[in-house]
Every structure is written in structure tokens, then in C-alpha cells.
Amino acid sequence: MIVAEQKPVAEILRMIDGYRRILVVGCGTCVTVCMAGGEKEAGILASLIRMAWAREGRLSPLIDVSEATVERQCEWEFLGDIAEKVAASDAVLSMGCGAGVQAMARMFEGKVVLPALNTKFIGMPERQGLWTELCAGCGDCVLDRTGGICPIARCSKSLLNGPCGGSQNGKCEVSKDIDCAWQLIFDRMKSLGRLEALGTVLPPKDWFKNRDGGPRKVVREDMLL
Ligand code: SF4
Ligand code: SF4
């Protein structure tokens, strides 16, 4: 899932300063699960904006903060449902991830769409209130060679062959709070009886499959119309 967190309210208020009719749009998928931008959070943010504006004496019949939530902001077919509300607003405050914000901006051409969240990473909930990064979307997965533990996202240096000399008692030299990914990989490979596979040095990574080649695309020729 994509993990995000809400921007500070002061930053959001600065962003929407000058607009009178704001539509706060939640997303019902990843950001609902990570409790950053779902229906509940959209309602809370809309209320916070109303309260802040009321404190400033800005509320009047001409000023309005409304809210709506779609199932997925990153797919156009879900956005038609809010077209009327978007048309009635001066600015849309998206609580989707960066893809959701951009999908809304493309769908509602000419409408100001602003991000209420900071999109952080692809990850999973570790326990209540804690989400961790698991994948950096490198475009050339090596999990088959690392026991299902990602060295790109989880090693602080993204080392393809580790550990580095800073690994101490299973922890990363960057912080005692961070497990050394390569220690985790070693332990996992050992438990799988595959330790000998770590003797094969992984070749330098082709970063062209990552960001160096510009915006990436996935094309399925069999599905193109
Ligand atoms: S190797 Fe690349 S694709 Fe695979 S989990 Fe890590 S970052 Fe993601
Ligand atoms: S200590 Fe481990 S996780 Fe940290 S940079 Fe070195 S190999 Fe990577």
C-alpha cells in the first residue's frame, strides 16, 4: 500500500488562503488504511478548516468548506461522482496520495487541486500506529535473491551486496532503531537453507529501470485498445 501522512494544518491553511469554497476530497483506498486521508480524516480536516476560518471571522454564506470521499482518487472512473461538487468549489484539497492529486488535476482541468498529504512510501502497517517502508519501486526486483527482504528500501545505503562495515549487533549504523537489512537478509537466507546463494555477488543495478529513465510506464500490449 501507499503510505502517506497529513501535512501540518498550518501549511494546509496557507495553501488554501485566498480561496472561498474548498472541497476536501478523501480517498477510500491506501490512505484510508493508513488513516491519513480517508472519509474520517477528510471530515476532520474540513472541520479544522471551518474552525480556523471561524476564529478569523471569515465564515459567511459566500465561504464554504465541504467534503466528499471517492473510492480511489487515482482512477478517473471514480472521480465522475464528485464532478458537481468540484465544479462548485474554488479549490480542491486532495487527501489522496500524489497520484490521486495528479489524477484529480488532470480530470478537473482548470480547477486548482492542492495536496493535503505528504506521500511517503510503499509499505505496510507493522503494528497499530506504525507503518514501515518495504519497497522503493526500483523497477527491477531482486527479492528472489535476498530472501524476500528488500535491500533497496530497507538498507540505509541501498546496498545490493551487504552488510557494510557499520552493521553492529543486527542494527544499522545509521540508527540503533533500524534493523540492518542485510542482517535480516542473512538470517532469512539461513533459515531457508539458502546461505550459499549469498556468495554470489549481485551485479551493479541498472538504475535506468528506476528514475534515471524519466517517468516510467507499464505497457500491456495484450490489453491496449
Ligand atoms: S527490489 Fe525494487 S521492486 Fe523489489 S521490493 Fe525492493 S525496491 Fe521494490
Ligand atoms: S548497517 Fe546494514 S542496513 Fe545499515 S547501511 Fe550497512 S548494510 Fe545497510
Side-chain angles (χ1 to χ4, degrees):
M1 62 184 281
I2 290 172
V3 180
E5 63 183 5
Q6 192 184 303
K7 284 178 176 288
V9 174
E11 183 182 342
I12 293 172
L13 290 175
R14 266 198 310 277
M15 218 186 284
I16 60 174
D17 195 30
Y19 299 107
R20 295 191 306 182
R21 291 168 302 161
I22 303 293
L23 176 64
V24 181
V25 182
C27 177
T29 311
C30 300
V31 292
T32 290
V33 180
C34 68
M35 296 180 217
E39 187 174 11
K40 186 178 90 179
E41 290 77 25
I44 292 170
L45 181 59
S47 297
L48 286 171
I49 296 170
R50 282 186 211 107
M51 285 191 286
W53 282 6
R55 270 202 311 273
E56 295 169 10
R58 286 184 58 184
L59 286 183
S60 81
L62 292 175
I63 287 186
D64 180 47
V65 183
S66 56
E67 66 218 50
T69 296
V70 296
E71 192 166 334
R72 267 197 293 288
Q73 279 187 34
C74 58
E75 291 189 48
W76 282 330
E77 52 261 54
F78 294 106
L79 300 181
D81 296 347
I82 57 167
E84 276 184 29
K85 288 184 173 180
V86 170
S89 67
D90 295 331
V92 175
L93 194 48
S94 165
M95 298 195 80
C97 70
V101 177
Q102 293 178 67
M104 298 252 290
R106 280 176 66 182
M107 172 93 176
F108 303 115
E109 220 176 301
K111 187 65 64 181
V112 171
V113 181
L114 305 165
L117 303 186
N118 289 324
T119 303
K120 306 293 282 189
F121 49 74
I122 301 170
M124 64 173 280
E126 204 75 51
R127 55 185 162 84
Q128 183 72 23
L130 174 67
W131 291 264
T132 52
E133 181 171 16
L134 294 180
C135 172
C138 76
D140 189 15
C141 196
V142 298
L143 288 177
D144 59 312
R145 280 155 283 171
T146 58
I149 294 165
C150 175
I152 307 298
R154 298 177 67 182
C155 166
S156 302
K157 296 174 187 163
S158 296
L159 294 177
L160 272 183
N161 297 282
C164 71
S167 181
Q168 291 279 333
N169 303 319
K171 296 295 177 186
C172 174
E173 67 175 332
V174 167
S175 164
K176 289 187 176 61
D177 296 331
I178 301 173
D179 290 329
C180 169
W182 272 100
Q183 181 70 56
L184 296 176
I185 291 168
F186 179 89
D187 293 344
R188 173 92 173 127
M189 292 295 266
K190 190 175 178 187
S191 74
L192 292 172
R194 294 188 57 215
L195 260 190
E196 81 290 345
L198 290 182
T200 304
V201 175
L202 294 183
K205 193 165 176 58
D206 179 3
W207 286 103
F208 191 77
K209 292 174 179 169
N210 190 248
R211 294 290 309 145
D212 290 356
R216 292 173 285 176
K217 287 181 181 168
V218 171
V219 181
R220 283 276 305 269
E221 298 287 349
D222 57 325
M223 294 176 72
L224 288 175
L225 292 175

